[in-house]
Amino acid sequence: MEILISNSSDKPIYEQICMQIKERIMNGMLEAGEALPSMRALAKDLHISVITVQRAYEDLTRDGFIETVSGKGSFVAAQNTEFIQEEQLRIAEGLLEKAAQIGRTYGIAYEQMASILKLFYEE
Protein backbone atom coordinates (compact mmCIF):
# COMPACT_ATOMS: atom_id res chain seq x y z
CA MET A 1 0.00 0.00 0.00
CA GLU A 2 1.44 3.32 -1.06
CA ILE A 3 1.13 6.15 1.46
CA LEU A 4 2.58 9.56 0.60
CA ILE A 5 3.81 11.70 3.46
CA SER A 6 4.36 15.41 3.02
CA ASN A 7 6.71 17.11 5.44
CA SER A 8 5.42 20.49 4.27
CA SER A 9 1.79 19.64 5.14
CA ASP A 10 0.17 21.37 8.09
CA LYS A 11 -1.36 18.01 9.08
CA PRO A 12 0.53 15.65 11.39
CA ILE A 13 1.91 12.49 9.78
CA TYR A 14 -0.54 10.21 11.59
CA GLU A 15 -3.45 12.25 10.19
CA GLN A 16 -2.02 12.02 6.69
CA ILE A 17 -1.88 8.23 7.06
CA CYS A 18 -5.44 8.10 8.42
CA MET A 19 -6.83 10.25 5.63
CA GLN A 20 -5.21 8.21 2.89
CA ILE A 21 -6.35 4.88 4.32
CA LYS A 22 -9.90 6.21 4.88
CA GLU A 23 -9.98 7.46 1.31
CA ARG A 24 -8.93 4.07 -0.04
CA ILE A 25 -11.57 2.31 2.06
CA MET A 26 -14.34 4.72 1.07
CA ASN A 27 -13.60 4.52 -2.65
CA GLY A 28 -13.35 0.72 -2.58
CA MET A 29 -9.61 0.40 -3.20
CA LEU A 30 -9.38 -1.43 0.14
CA GLU A 31 -12.14 -3.94 0.76
CA ALA A 32 -13.61 -5.35 3.95
CA GLY A 33 -11.37 -8.03 5.44
CA GLU A 34 -8.29 -6.91 3.52
CA ALA A 35 -5.13 -6.91 5.62
CA LEU A 36 -3.24 -3.69 6.23
CA PRO A 37 0.54 -3.65 6.54
CA SER A 38 1.79 -4.29 10.05
CA MET A 39 2.62 -1.19 12.07
CA ARG A 40 6.32 -2.03 11.93
CA ALA A 41 6.31 -2.67 8.19
CA LEU A 42 4.47 0.56 7.40
CA ALA A 43 6.72 2.56 9.73
CA LYS A 44 9.78 1.07 8.03
CA ASP A 45 8.43 1.79 4.53
CA LEU A 46 7.63 5.40 5.45
CA HIS A 47 10.79 5.91 7.53
CA ILE A 48 8.78 7.04 10.53
CA SER A 49 8.23 5.93 14.11
CA VAL A 50 6.10 2.89 14.88
CA ILE A 51 4.35 5.07 17.47
CA THR A 52 3.14 7.38 14.66
CA VAL A 53 1.65 4.46 12.74
CA GLN A 54 0.17 3.10 15.95
CA ARG A 55 -1.60 6.43 16.53
CA ALA A 56 -3.00 6.34 12.98
CA TYR A 57 -4.23 2.76 13.38
CA GLU A 58 -5.79 3.57 16.77
CA ASP A 59 -7.69 6.49 15.23
CA LEU A 60 -8.84 4.33 12.31
CA THR A 61 -10.02 1.66 14.76
CA ARG A 62 -11.85 4.23 16.89
CA ASP A 63 -13.59 5.61 13.79
CA GLY A 64 -14.66 2.10 12.72
CA PHE A 65 -12.55 1.85 9.57
CA ILE A 66 -10.26 -0.98 10.68
CA GLU A 67 -10.26 -3.83 13.18
CA THR A 68 -7.16 -5.14 14.90
CA VAL A 69 -6.96 -8.80 15.84
CA SER A 70 -4.32 -9.51 18.46
CA GLY A 71 -1.52 -11.60 16.99
CA LYS A 72 -2.96 -11.46 13.46
CA GLY A 73 -2.85 -7.82 12.41
CA SER A 74 -5.13 -5.03 11.26
CA PHE A 75 -7.88 -5.48 8.70
CA VAL A 76 -10.37 -3.27 6.90
CA ALA A 77 -13.61 -3.38 8.87
CA ALA A 78 -16.89 -4.30 7.23
CA GLN A 79 -18.48 -0.96 6.42
CA ASN A 80 -22.10 -0.20 6.00
CA THR A 81 -22.93 2.20 3.20
CA GLU A 82 -24.63 4.58 5.63
CA PHE A 83 -21.39 5.05 7.58
CA ILE A 84 -19.37 5.70 4.42
CA GLN A 85 -21.96 8.16 3.15
CA GLU A 86 -21.90 10.00 6.49
CA GLU A 87 -18.11 10.32 6.31
CA GLN A 88 -18.32 11.61 2.73
CA LEU A 89 -20.99 14.11 3.79
CA ARG A 90 -18.74 15.34 6.60
CA ILE A 91 -15.92 15.94 4.12
CA ALA A 92 -18.25 17.75 1.69
CA GLU A 93 -19.59 19.96 4.50
CA GLY A 94 -16.06 21.02 5.40
CA LEU A 95 -15.26 21.95 1.81
CA LEU A 96 -18.56 23.80 1.38
CA GLU A 97 -17.90 25.71 4.60
CA LYS A 98 -14.58 26.90 3.16
CA ALA A 99 -16.29 27.91 -0.09
CA ALA A 100 -18.93 29.86 1.86
CA GLN A 101 -16.24 31.68 3.83
CA ILE A 102 -14.51 32.68 0.60
CA GLY A 103 -17.81 33.84 -0.88
CA ARG A 104 -18.63 35.97 2.14
CA THR A 105 -15.11 37.38 2.40
CA TYR A 106 -14.97 38.46 -1.24
CA GLY A 107 -18.60 39.50 -1.66
CA ILE A 108 -19.62 36.75 -4.04
CA ALA A 109 -23.41 36.49 -4.11
CA TYR A 110 -25.02 33.33 -2.73
CA GLU A 111 -26.88 32.79 -5.99
CA GLN A 112 -23.61 32.86 -7.93
CA MET A 113 -21.99 30.39 -5.51
CA ALA A 114 -25.05 28.12 -5.73
CA SER A 115 -24.99 28.18 -9.54
CA ILE A 116 -21.28 27.27 -9.51
CA LEU A 117 -21.99 24.33 -7.19
CA LYS A 118 -24.88 23.24 -9.41
CA LEU A 119 -22.63 23.41 -12.48
CA PHE A 120 -20.00 21.18 -10.84
CA TYR A 121 -22.62 18.83 -9.44
CA GLU A 122 -24.24 18.26 -12.83
CA GLU A 123 -20.95 17.61 -14.69
Side-chain angles (χ1 to χ4, degrees):
M1 175 171 48
E2 186 178 340
I3 302 283
L4 301 175
I5 300 299
S6 171
N7 292 325
S8 61
S9 174
D10 60 340
K11 296 198 181 300
I13 292 172
Y14 77 91
E15 279 187 31
Q16 293 179 50
I17 294 168
C18 282
M19 289 176 58
Q20 291 179 52
I21 292 175
K22 281 182 181 181
E23 185 177 307
R24 285 183 173 89
I25 292 170
M26 289 188 297
N27 69 20
M29 290 175 67
L30 290 173
E31 296 181 5
E34 193 169 334
L36 296 177
S38 72
M39 290 182 212
R40 286 189 184 134
L42 187 55
K44 183 178 179 185
D45 287 347
L46 298 176
H47 304 288
I48 60 173
S49 166
V50 174
I51 294 169
T52 303
V53 177
Q54 180 181 9
R55 171 84 189 267
Y57 278 25
E58 285 172 353
D59 285 2
L60 289 164
T61 300
R62 181 199 65 224
D63 293 344
F65 282 91
I66 67 172
E67 298 170 338
T68 301
V69 179
S70 185
K72 296 199 182 217
S74 297
F75 303 88
V76 176
Q79 299 289 314
N80 65 33
T81 54
E82 217 174 273
F83 179 78
I84 292 173
Q85 189 172 16
E86 184 65 32
E87 184 70 13
Q88 294 288 21
L89 184 58
R90 186 187 64 73
I91 292 167
E93 286 173 351
L95 294 171
L96 288 171
E97 181 181 10
K98 288 179 185 177
Q101 289 171 349
I102 291 169
R104 283 191 304 271
T105 300
Y106 296 101
I108 302 169
Y110 167 78
E111 292 77 16
Q112 190 174 6
M113 294 293 284
S115 68
I116 292 169
L117 175 62
K118 184 177 179 184
L119 179 71
F120 286 127
Y121 197 82
E122 292 175 347
E123 278 187 346

